Amino acid sequence: MAAPSSHTHGTTERSVRERIPPLLTDLYQFTMAYAYWRAGRHQEPAVFELFFRENPFGGGFSVFAGLHDCLLFLRGFRFTDGDVDFLRSVLPSDTDPAFFQFLRGLDCSGVTLRSVPEGTVVFARVPLLEVAGPLAVVQLLETSLLCLVNYASLVCSNAARFRLAAGPGRRLMEMGLRRAQGPDGGLTASRYTYIGGFDLTSNVQAGFLFGIPVAGTMAHSYVTSFTSLEEVWPQTVVAMSGDSTPVDFISLTKGWLSRVCELLGAEPGKIREGELAAFLSYAIAYPRNFLPVIDSYSVSCSGLLNFCAVALALCELGYRPVGVRLDSGDLCRQSVDVRRVFRLCSQQFFMSVFDSLIIVGTNNISEQSMAELNKKENEIDVVGVGTHLVTCTKQPSLGCVYKLVEVRGRPRMKLSEDPEKSTVPGRKAVYRLVDADGHPFLDLVCLAGESPPVAGLPVSCHPLGCDSSLSVTPAQVTCLRQEVFTKGQVTHPPCSAAETRAKVQASLQTLNPRHTRLQEPDAYTVALSEKLHSLVTETRRGSSNYSNFLLAN
C-alpha cells in the first residue's frame, strides 16, 4: 500500500482546471447570457440556489460533496481566446461581436458563494449552495456547479451507506475504476467514496491526485499465466535476518507444502503447479507484500494450500505475509474455512503471524450483500467493492437543481403544475435544530433577514409537504451555511479528503439511528419559517394577478 502524497493540493487544482473549463456547460447558458447582455440586464444582482428534491437510494439522508471542486472552478473561471473563438462559431451569426469581448473579460470576482460545509449530512429541499452575483455570470455557472455536486454527492452518499452496512470494524476498498463511467467518473468515484467512508482505493491516479491510500496485488490473469515451477525466476530469497546468503525458495516452499498437506489431509495430486509458481514468483518479487488471490482454481484443493506453503516459507525467512483474497463462491463460508486453516498452521507450526493474516472478499458486492455479511458467520477483514458502488446502480442521479430565487433584491419563484417542482422564493438562511440528546431533528429554512432561532425558545414553522404548522423547541441551533467564496477568492479554505472523510462520519454519528436506517428510515423534517411560508403563500396568490396583464394594459 502506498502512502498519501504531500503534493496533492496543487495537483488537484490543476486537475480541476483541466477537467472543468468554462465551456463545460450547456449552450443555452450562453444564449441566455447574451439575451441578458443585449437587454442590459447582465449586471443585475441575482441569487441562485442548488438543492435536490428527494433523498437518494430510498434512504433518509444524503452527504454533501463536491464543494472543493466548485471553489477551484470558481477561482479559475475565465474564458481564453480559443474559448471565445469557438463560441463565436457556434452561437447564431447575428450575435453582437461586442458580446464576445464581454465574455473574454468575465470572471467570478463579483460572485459570492455560501455553502453547507462539505461532508455534512444533508436532506432533500435544503438549499446547499447559494450563488450570488451578476445575473449573466451566475447563470453561466449553473451546469458546471450541478455537474460538480450531483455525482460527487450521490457516490459519497452511496459510500456512506456501504459503510453503515459494513459496520465500523470492517475495512472497505473501492475498486470500481474499470466499471466507472469514463476516466473522470472513475477519479470522482475514488475520491468521494473515500470521503464517504471507504479506506482504500485501487485507483493509482486517485492516490496521486488526492492522497488516498492505494492497495492491490494480483489478478487471476497473473496466476493463470504460470504453468510450471520452471517459470519461476529468480528462485532465491535473502532472509530478513541480514544473512546475505540466497535461500532456494522453491525447495523451502516444497518442504512446507508437504507438511501442510499432511496437516490438512490434502491430496498433493490436486495442487496446481502453475498456481504455486505464480505465488512463488510474486512472493520473491514482494516478500513483504504477499497477498494473492486464491480462487483461480480451487480454494480448498489448491489455492489455500499453496498460499500456506509460500507464507510459511516467508515466515521462516523472517517476512510477514499479508493475507489472501477470495473473489468467487460463498465468501462467508470460504472465509471461515480459510481462517480455520490459518489457526491450525499457527498452532501446529508455531507461526503466530498466521493469527493476523487478513482475508479480503471481492465478488460483485452490493449494499444488500454487504449487509448480509453481518448476519452470517464470516472472517472477512476487508471488502472490495466496484460496480455497485461507483455506478450507483440503485439510483443513477441525485437530481440536483439550480434555481433562481432573487433578482434585484426581489424574490423569484418558479410555479409549476407539479407542486414538487415549485421553488421557494427569496434569499435564505438555514439552521439545524438539535434536541437534548444531541440529535438533529429539523432543518429550518428562513429568509436571510430574519432573526435566527434561539436554543430553548419555541419556534413555529411549516414542514414541507405538510399542511399544518409545527412548534418545536431546540436545545441547540447551528447555522448550516457559511460564506466560502467572495471577490474571486476562497474565503474558507477547503479541507483535505481525509479531513472531510472524518467530518462525514462525525456528521452521521450525530443523527438519530431512525434516520440512518438503510431500509424504511423515518423522514427527517425540513420546514419553512413563518415569514418564509407567508412569502410563498403571497407569491402564489400574487401570481394570478399577472395573468391578466394584457387586459390591464
Side-chain angles (χ1 to χ4, degrees), residues 118-257:
E118 186 159 24
T120 301
V121 171
V122 291
F123 305 96
R125 309 295 299 190
V126 172
L128 307 178
L129 297 180
E130 178 193 87
V131 187
L135 180 56
V137 178
V138 291
Q139 182 69 70
L140 286 170
L141 299 176
E142 175 183 6
T143 303
S144 301
L145 293 178
L146 286 171
C147 182
L148 289 170
V149 171
N150 253 315
Y151 179 64
S153 296
L154 182 72
V155 77
C156 190
S157 303
N158 201 23
R161 290 176 62 87
F162 269 90
R163 169 49 70 194
L164 288 171
R170 207 185 307 272
R171 302 190 79 196
L172 299 178
M173 177 177 173
E174 176 272 318
M175 45 192 297
L177 178 59
R178 65 188 61 194
R179 304 281 189 255
Q181 286 91 340
D184 191 70
L187 279 172
T188 304
S190 296
R191 180 180 186 184
Y192 290 105
T193 55
Y194 175 69
I195 287 174
F198 274 59
D199 303 285
L200 307 161
T201 181
S202 65
N203 186 341
V204 179
Q205 181 71 355
F208 174 72
L209 290 175
F210 312 126
I212 302 171
V214 296
T217 54
M218 70 172 68
H220 294 103
S221 57
Y222 180 83
V223 177
T224 57
S225 72
F226 288 82
T227 57
S228 167
L229 293 177
E230 294 177 358
E231 296 170 296
V232 179
W233 188 262
Q235 299 182 345
T236 59
V237 174
V238 175
M240 278 279 290
S241 62
D243 185 349
S244 60
T245 305
V247 176
D248 183 341
F249 197 58
I250 294 179
S251 297
L252 182 62
T253 300
K254 281 183 173 181
W256 278 112
L257 184 57

Side-chain angles (χ1 to χ4, degrees), residues 104 148 264 306 421 498 543:
R104 187 64 183 89
L148 289 170
L264 302 178
N306 282 329
K421 288 198 169 184
S543 67

Side-chain angles (χ1 to χ4, degrees), residues 200-535:
L200 307 161
T201 181
S202 65
N203 186 341
V204 179
Q205 181 71 355
F208 174 72
L209 290 175
F210 312 126
I212 302 171
V214 296
T217 54
M218 70 172 68
H220 294 103
S221 57
Y222 180 83
V223 177
T224 57
S225 72
F226 288 82
T227 57
S228 167
L229 293 177
E230 294 177 358
E231 296 170 296
V232 179
W233 188 262
Q235 299 182 345
T236 59
V237 174
V238 175
M240 278 279 290
S241 62
D243 185 349
S244 60
T245 305
V247 176
D248 183 341
F249 197 58
I250 294 179
S251 297
L252 182 62
T253 300
K254 281 183 173 181
W256 278 112
L257 184 57
S258 297
R259 297 174 68 181
V260 170
C261 288
E262 182 179 352
L263 173 67
L264 302 178
E267 300 180 43
K270 292 185 177 181
I271 294 173
R272 301 297 292 252
E273 181 180 346
E275 183 179 56
L276 178 59
F279 291 2
L280 283 164
S281 182
Y282 194 90
I284 290 169
Y286 287 112
R288 296 177 179 84
N289 193 41
F290 183 54
L291 192 156
V293 58
I294 62 172
D295 65 332
S296 297
Y297 302 106
S298 169
V299 173
S300 59
C301 295
S302 182
L304 181 55
L305 303 171
N306 282 329
F307 168 79
C308 288
V310 176
L312 287 163
L314 287 172
C315 289
E316 183 175 337
L317 297 178
Y319 296 99
R320 295 181 65 89
V322 178
V324 299
R325 179 163 73 96
L326 299 167
D327 189 50
S328 60
D330 186 336
L331 299 182
C332 291
R333 178 186 57 78
Q334 288 186 107
S335 69
V336 171
D337 293 342
V338 168
R339 185 70 70 195
R340 178 183 61 82
V341 170
F342 287 172
R343 290 179 179 133
L344 280 173
C345 288
S346 173
Q347 295 166 6
Q348 182 68 26
F349 304 125
F350 304 102
M351 294 289 190
S352 60
V353 171
F354 269 65
D355 292 326
S356 58
L357 293 174
I358 67 171
I359 300 174
V360 181
T362 58
N363 184 19
N364 199 32
I365 303 293
S366 66
E367 180 188 302
Q368 181 179 353
S369 58
M370 181 77 79
E372 288 173 355
L373 281 178
N374 291 334
K375 299 176 183 178
K376 297 180 181 179
E377 182 186 6
N378 73 87
E379 292 285 345
I380 298 172
D381 303 292
V382 181
V383 178
V385 190
T387 304
H388 294 291
L389 176 66
V390 305
T391 65
C392 299
T393 48
K394 290 179 65 177
Q395 181 174 326
S397 174
L398 181 56
C400 287
V401 292
Y402 183 89
K403 298 300 180 182
L404 180 70
V405 296
E406 183 181 284
V407 178
R408 299 189 307 275
R410 299 175 183 173
R412 288 292 183 267
M413 180 178 183
K414 175 188 174 185
L415 296 169
S416 174
E417 293 181 3
D418 182 354
E420 288 297 314
K421 288 198 169 184
S422 295
T423 60
V424 178
R427 198 166 192 169
K428 305 174 187 71
V430 184
Y431 300 95
R432 180 155 291 175
L433 309 189
V434 180
D435 64 23
D437 294 324
H439 298 308
F441 68 92
L442 185 146
D443 283 4
L444 183 66
V445 185
C446 305
L447 287 169
E450 287 189 64
S451 298
V454 177
L457 297 181
V459 178
S460 181
C461 58
H462 294 259
L464 291 172
C466 182
D467 294 331
S468 59
S469 63
L470 178 70
S471 180
V472 297
T473 302
Q476 301 174 50
V477 177
T478 302
C479 181
L480 267 189
R481 296 194 309 202
Q482 57 193 8
E483 185 177 289
V484 293
F485 184 92
T486 189
K487 297 180 181 179
Q489 297 298 318
V490 176
T491 55
H492 196 280
C495 298
S496 68
E499 290 168 335
T500 307
R501 180 177 182 271
K503 187 179 296 183
V504 170
Q505 297 308 309
S507 187
L508 280 170
Q509 288 170 15
T510 65
L511 292 187
N512 192 302
R514 60 192 178 90
H515 293 132
T516 58
R517 284 199 303 261
L518 299 181
Q519 303 298 325
E520 300 181 353
D522 287 357
Y524 184 88
T525 303
V526 176
L528 306 184
S529 69
E530 288 279 9
K531 287 186 178 181
L532 183 53
H533 181 263
S534 297
L535 176 62

